[in-house]
Amino acid sequence: DGADLVEPGAGADQVDFSEDTQSRDTLAFQGDALGEAADIIYGFLQGLGGDVIDLTQLLDSLGDILPLVATSNVPDGLVDGCVVRVVSEEITGAGDLVRELSAGGLLDPINISGGQSSVFVVADSQDAGVAQDLYPASSTGQTYDATHLAQFRGDYLDIDNWTSDNFAVVAPEVVA
């Protein structure tokens, strides 16, 4: 119990944030662990005052937490640095996300500038208790790349409950 900082290592880790007394915990992915294997996260509290995913290793800066996107109604837009929440039964892995972001894919109207990144949270429905997958995605300007970083599991998870409180990018300290 208490405000924990968890930094999963390389490989598929299991992290459980369940606590008797809720405190604000932080999940921080380190550069050497990115892309190794997806971590499984339990007990993550979404919403205002909830737990935090530190995206410092994934994004230069944090943009908006965008409104929920259903693949049946995808808006046109540039999503550099944003957290994009998507409901889709078609995206079950990083390769699926790349395919759907590419020309002709279900998410084709969404764009990431060359050299930029975004983070996608994907669930196959808006029902509570459905697993949600975290994918950092980047663009070269020609092609997309994505990594399945983590899967969040829990009876109370809901794709609608993510807020800006749940994501952070920590600016590096400037030494003068």
Side-chain angles (χ1 to χ4, degrees):
D1 289 329
D4 299 314
L5 170 63
V6 177
E7 298 174 333
D13 297 308
Q14 291 191 19
V15 177
D16 191 343
F17 283 118
S18 301
E19 301 174 291
D20 290 332
T21 303
Q22 179 59 42
S23 61
R24 189 171 181 131
D25 300 315
T26 301
L27 179 64
F29 296 101
Q30 298 304 306
D32 60 348
L34 301 179
E36 289 288 324
D39 296 320
I40 306 297
I41 313 299
Y42 298 97
F44 189 92
L45 182 63
Q46 298 169 294
L48 296 173
D51 296 327
V52 178
I53 303 169
D54 181 346
L55 301 174
T56 303
Q57 294 291 322
L58 306 174
L59 301 174
D60 293 329
S61 63
L62 183 60
D64 294 327
I65 311 303
L66 299 178
L68 187 63
V69 174
T71 53
S72 60
N73 186 24
V74 180
D76 289 323
L78 188 62
V79 297
D80 297 354
C82 294
V83 175
V84 183
R85 298 172 302 133
V86 177
V87 173
S88 173
E89 292 181 353
E90 290 82 11
I91 301 172
T92 60
D96 296 330
L97 180 58
V98 168
R99 181 189 68 238
E100 300 304 345
L101 284 168
S102 299
L106 293 170
L107 300 176
D108 181 22
I110 293 176
N111 293 298
I112 303 171
S113 300
Q116 297 296 311
S117 298
S118 298
V119 172
F120 288 77
V121 178
V122 180
D124 64 10
S125 82
Q126 284 183 264
D127 295 337
V130 172
Q132 297 171 40
D133 296 288
L134 182 72
Y135 301 94
S138 60
S139 172
T140 64
Q142 302 290 323
T143 61
Y144 289 100
D145 186 39
T147 301
H148 187 198
L149 194 56
Q151 183 175 79
F152 294 83
R153 297 181 184 173
D155 293 339
Y156 301 106
L157 284 177
D158 189 321
I159 190 86
D160 296 301
N161 290 343
W162 294 101
T163 70
S164 58
D165 269 17
N166 298 127
F167 302 95
V169 171
V170 180
E173 291 184 27
V174 177
V175 178

